[in-house]
Amino acid sequence: MADMSPLFRRRPAPQERLVTLIRKPGCHLCDDAQAVIEKVCGELGVPWERKDITEDRALHDQYWEQIPVVLVDGRQHTFWRVDEGRLRKELTD
């Protein structure tokens, strides 16, 4: 039998998710956010990436007032502070 139709899948497999942390150097809130992301994504097996606004003009222009910003699957999840429970729920629902 072929793969199940996406309509019958309850949730995406972990490899289909991606968390992006948009941060800047020397930002203590960014360090705090990264620690939460590392913990939650590590426990759930969800890949994550880090992007630096000082190296990307478009990200800087879009997010500089909100750093750190967390995207889940390319959509903004939160900014400034990352709530571990909320991130975990987003990735498992």
Side-chain angles (χ1 to χ4, degrees):
M1 181 178 207
D3 279 330
M4 291 177 64
S5 164
L7 295 174
F8 295 107
R9 269 200 228 152
R10 293 184 65 91
R11 69 176 74 131
Q15 65 270 19
E16 295 177 357
R17 310 304 308 265
L18 177 63
V19 174
T20 304
L21 171 61
I22 302 170
R23 59 170 299 153
K24 65 182 179 184
C27 166
H28 73 278
L29 287 177
C30 300
D31 294 338
D32 293 347
Q34 183 169 323
V36 172
I37 291 167
E38 286 175 344
K39 178 181 180 187
V40 173
C41 288
E43 290 172 2
L44 298 176
V46 174
W48 70 278
E49 64 183 355
R50 183 174 46 212
K51 294 189 177 183
D52 184 337
I53 64 164
T54 65
E55 297 174 358
D56 186 317
R57 187 69 196 175
L59 289 177
H60 179 275
D61 292 347
Q62 186 172 1
Y63 295 118
W64 73 273
E65 291 182 328
Q66 298 177 325
I67 293 301
V69 175
V70 177
L71 310 179
V72 174
D73 303 331
R75 294 183 321 275
Q76 187 167 336
H77 170 73
T78 194
F79 61 97
W80 293 339
R81 297 207 183 268
V82 181
D83 180 270
E84 181 179 335
R86 185 168 172 256
L87 179 60
R88 186 178 307 280
K89 183 173 182 349
E90 173 79 16
L91 294 172
T92 55
D93 277 355

